Amino acid sequence: MSATTLERPQTDSVRLERTPDPCVMVIFGASGDLTKRKLLPAVYMLFKEHLVPPNFSIVGFSRSPMSDDEFRSHMRDGVEEFGGPVDTATWQKFAAGLRYISAHPHHPEEYAKLTGVLSELDRERGTGGNRVYYLAVPPSSFLPIVRNLQAAGLAQPEQAWARVIIEKPFGHDLESAQALNCELSKVFREEQIYRIDHYLGKETVQNLLVFRFANGIFEPIWNRRYVDHVQITAAETLGVENRASYYEEAGALRDMVQNHMLQLLTMTAMEPPVAFDAETVRAEKVKVLRAIRPLCSEDTPHCAVRGQYGPGQIGGEKVVGYRQEPGVDPNSNTETFAAVKLHIENWRWAGVPFYLRAGKRLARHATEIAVQFRQPPLRLFEGTHAIPPNLIVVRIQPDEGIALRFSAKRPGPATRVRDVNMDFRYSTSFGMASANAYERLLLDCMLGDPSLFASSRFVELGWSLLTPMLEAWKNHPAPDFPNYAAGTWGPAAADKLMDYGQSWRSPSQSDDDAATPME
Ligand SMILES: NC(=O)c1ccc[n+]([C@@H]2O[C@H](COP(=O)([O-])OP(=O)(O)OC[C@H]3O[C@@H](n4cnc5c(N)ncnc54)[C@H](OP(=O)(O)O)[C@@H]3O)[C@@H](O)[C@H]2O)c1
């Protein structure tokens, strides 16, 4: 191509299917729950669908004693239990690339074993020196592991790439997140660090950008002139399950709002990016966070509500309160529900409140974004029933889809108005289940595309926004916990967050309301 020819940016508007380079994924914490439940089922599916090269290999690294064969069999159980049926011929090819090292990841001398196994895989399976390091371990192990990788010369391979994936929590407040980012950056460059937020791997979340920017009819009304307010809900029917020790330290604000819900908010509110590359999309999301009116601890009572569930009923079954759950302090001050009101002070959104709500043991399992439009003048219809405003609901899970609520005339001689829905459902329109979020994200990491991962800037801005609330809640233990019964929509105080004339939605019963963990 001559220097004067205009080059067409090929991947700006669409993301084409590609296959990653050969590589080895090293999973620290390979004996754990995440590896078995999410990671192995996802990589097995990628392998089965030929989305990773046939020589793709995995090294499990954790302290539990296991042979290579025991690891393979443990992983097969995981794939069968959490992924689906395993085809024996495909499994045998996949399992040929699985190795296991039983070692303490904090001990630098153990990394010689890792170097040895990686060299062997490069030699025998042609994995080319490329590495993905997945830190499926508690956060206290992140830094010892990355430092040991650096000391072993495994962080910056020559003529090959190395990337590291870390799981939330990315710190527990602004200071700790900054310290973590700072330490990580001493070992890996920012473009090597993939902070996974599995919400971003969901088709419905990615579809938000297509819905907004590939259609001519929604974007012109997606602003303060037409939108009254936005509600983002992540409701679980499950309680704390077997994660009490983690949850006691985290609570709903840290566990859901600081990461997943801020991601949903920024994708709902961001300006159209000029391209779909990681840098551009992530910069637009950061702009939204920077435009949110900062809050101080004193604002907390006016802009945030916390709750903790007491005993109640879920699906007709009695369940205990949070303080009675195994592993939970009987006087726990941890919130299992958080609702927050935020204002984005830019030209598109000034004056439009964004309400975020997340909780456990709520009435229904549903994650959705509801954009409520301003009411038109209705004098024409005086005397008919109250006419609800238009609403667009993006259902993230379950029953993925988008609904538009509008008013229609009831059949008959009188002018009676009723609200009706136009409903798009992924399952019926495309006739296929969405891929697991981890499949998409692991593949993107292998392809070197961090668009759907959280940047350090995003994480730190998220913490700087919420840290004052966390401090206020820590300094003033809730006098009224538990303040909502399991199986309800949370504490009554959440209603008071709403401006005049606004109220929380009750996401409607879905066809597929299984009690699966919040994903
Ligand atoms: N599970 C989920 O669904 C989920 C969801 C979101 C985020 N996460 C995050 O993903 C990471 C892994 O989750 P997980 O549920 O798999 O955790 P996990 O089961 O508690 O731990 C994973 C593995 O890490 C190793 N480990 C535990 N404590 C360690 C220590 N002090 N030093 C060194 N190694 C240690 C253990 O292996 P050995 O004892 O064999 O060494 C364990 O099997 C965590 O950061 C978690 O917060 C998990």
Side-chain angles (χ1 to χ4, degrees):
M1 188 175 288
S2 75
T4 51
T5 312
L6 276 180
E7 273 197 40
R8 213 180 157 78
Q10 195 216 341
T11 55
D12 266 6
S13 54
V14 282
R15 188 179 174 283
L16 303 173
E17 279 178 17
R18 289 179 290 149
T19 310
D21 302 329
C23 67
V24 183
M25 179 180 290
V26 181
I27 304 178
F28 293 95
S31 62
D33 177 63
L34 185 73
T35 305
K36 187 173 177 178
R37 227 158 40 87
K38 297 287 181 191
L39 305 185
L40 260 289
V43 281
Y44 174 72
M45 280 310 288
L46 292 174
F47 184 85
K48 191 173 151 195
E49 289 164 10
H50 308 287
L51 292 169
V52 290
N55 53 358
F56 172 75
S57 306
I58 293 179
V59 179
F61 190 117
S62 43
R63 296 166 303 180
S64 303
M66 263 189 281
S67 66
D68 283 347
D69 279 339
E70 283 165 338
F71 179 59
R72 289 177 186 127
S73 139
H74 184 54
M75 291 302 116
R76 183 172 176 153
D77 292 346
V79 174
E80 279 173 339
E81 189 178 348
F82 301 107
V86 166
D87 158 61
T88 300
T90 311
W91 176 262
Q92 277 169 353
K93 285 186 210 146
F94 177 70
L98 299 189
R99 302 281 189 282
Y100 184 76
I101 297 171
S102 168
H104 199 309
H106 295 196
H107 296 168
E109 66 280 7
E110 303 279 26
Y111 285 67
K113 290 184 198 163
L114 179 59
T115 309
V117 173
L118 289 172
S119 307
E120 193 183 297
L121 286 170
D122 285 343
R123 216 171 36 246
E124 290 175 6
R125 292 177 59 83
T127 37
N130 300 315
R131 318 286 184 230
V132 172
Y133 301 114
Y134 202 116
L135 307 193
V137 285
S140 54
S141 294
F142 290 172
L143 291 178
I145 292 173
V146 298
R147 287 181 188 132
N148 287 339
L149 287 170
Q150 182 181 42
L154 293 168
Q156 303 291 346
E158 282 173 21
Q159 295 170 346
W161 51 257
R163 296 170 192 141
V164 63
I165 304 183
I166 60 171
E167 273 282 350
K168 70 166 194 184
F170 314 122
H172 57 270
D173 56 14
L174 177 59
E175 203 181 325
S176 57
Q178 283 171 328
L180 176 64
N181 283 337
C182 173
E183 291 303 312
L184 285 173
S185 71
K186 291 179 185 164
V187 178
F188 292 104
R189 297 183 305 280
E190 176 64 13
E191 65 268 24
Q192 293 180 282
I193 304 170
Y194 287 67
R195 296 172 193 81
I196 199 161
D197 183 328
H198 61 270
Y199 262 58
L200 296 181
K202 292 179 184 298
E203 290 287 359
T204 35
V205 175
Q206 292 158 43
N207 186 47
L208 250 180
L209 298 190
V210 176
F211 176 74
R212 288 189 53 198
F213 303 132
N215 293 296
I217 57 174
F218 302 117
E219 202 48 27
I221 54 168
W222 209 256
N223 57 53
R224 63 186 163 128
R225 186 149 179 222
Y226 297 98
V227 174
D228 182 71
H229 71 277
V230 178
Q231 294 183 22
I232 304 180
T233 298
E236 291 178 87
T237 50
L238 291 178
V240 70
E241 304 300 296
N242 54 0
R243 303 191 74 208
S245 63
Y246 158 76
Y247 203 81
E248 274 283 88
E249 295 296 315
L253 202 61
R254 285 191 176 92
D255 186 47
M256 293 298 295
V257 179
Q258 189 275 337
N259 35 60
H260 309 314
M261 300 201 77
L262 286 183
Q263 288 285 356
L264 296 183
L265 175 142
T266 54
M267 291 182 84
T268 308
M270 67 192 261
E271 293 301 317
V274 293
F276 268 146
D277 61 74
E279 196 183 336
T280 315
V281 173
R282 299 205 299 185
E284 290 299 342
K285 291 204 267 181
V286 160
K287 276 196 221 164
V288 176
L289 290 187
R290 292 184 61 195
I292 293 177
R293 188 192 299 163
L295 306 163
C296 60
S297 296
E298 291 72 42
D299 294 326
T300 303
H302 314 292
C303 64
V305 169
R306 58 185 152 166
Q308 187 190 74
Y309 64 84
Q313 288 211 344
I314 298 277
E317 303 259 314
K318 281 190 179 167
V319 295
V320 297
Y322 179 70
R323 290 178 178 181
Q324 290 82 51
E325 300 272 17
V328 171
D329 177 352
N331 298 311
S332 175
N333 186 45
T334 300
E335 82 283 359
T336 59
F337 174 97
V340 181
K341 175 182 181 176
L342 297 172
H343 285 279
I344 303 170
E345 295 198 329
N346 61 18
W347 279 86
R348 186 189 281 265
W349 293 117
V352 178
F354 279 69
Y355 300 103
L356 276 48
R357 150 180 84 156
K360 289 193 175 290
R361 287 284 192 230
L362 296 184
R364 192 149 291 143
H365 170 55
T367 302
E368 62 164 47
I369 299 162
V371 177
Q372 184 160 316
F373 291 86
R374 288 184 190 282
Q375 194 68 288
L378 289 171
R379 206 170 146 67
L380 256 182
F381 302 100
E382 251 175 28
T384 66
H385 286 90
I387 298 176
N390 297 136
L391 186 73
I392 290 177
V393 180
V394 179
R395 295 187 304 271
I396 307 293
Q397 65 180 12
D399 188 22
E400 294 92 340
I402 297 174
L404 167 64
R405 181 177 77 188
F406 60 100
S407 296
K409 181 186 170 302
R410 272 177 188 264
T415 305
R416 289 219 177 89
V417 181
R418 211 199 82 184
D419 56 308
V420 291
N421 275 327
M422 279 205 293
D423 205 348
F424 148 69
R425 281 159 193 251
Y426 259 81
S427 53
T428 43
S429 295
F430 293 108
M432 57 194 274
S434 303
N436 171 307
Y438 275 91
E439 280 174 48
R440 169 66 197 267
L441 295 172
L442 290 173
L443 186 61
D444 277 5
C445 174
M446 290 183 232
L447 289 166
D449 181 353
S451 313
L452 299 177
F453 292 79
S455 63
S456 59
R457 188 92 176 98
F458 189 99
V459 170
E460 290 180 17
L461 281 167
W463 281 122
S464 65
L465 197 64
L466 298 183
T467 297
M469 292 180 205
L470 290 165
E471 279 170 4
W473 285 357
K474 188 173 156 214
N475 295 336
H476 303 283
D480 58 346
F481 275 3
N483 59 355
Y484 69 97
T488 64
W489 278 109
D495 296 341
K496 300 205 180 99
L497 268 189
M498 295 284 196
D499 287 352
Y500 177 74
Q502 299 169 348
S503 57
W504 291 107
R505 270 173 50 74
S506 300
S508 56
Q509 179 74 54
S510 107
D511 295 338
D512 177 24
D513 198 6
T516 48
M518 182 59 70
E519 293 179 347

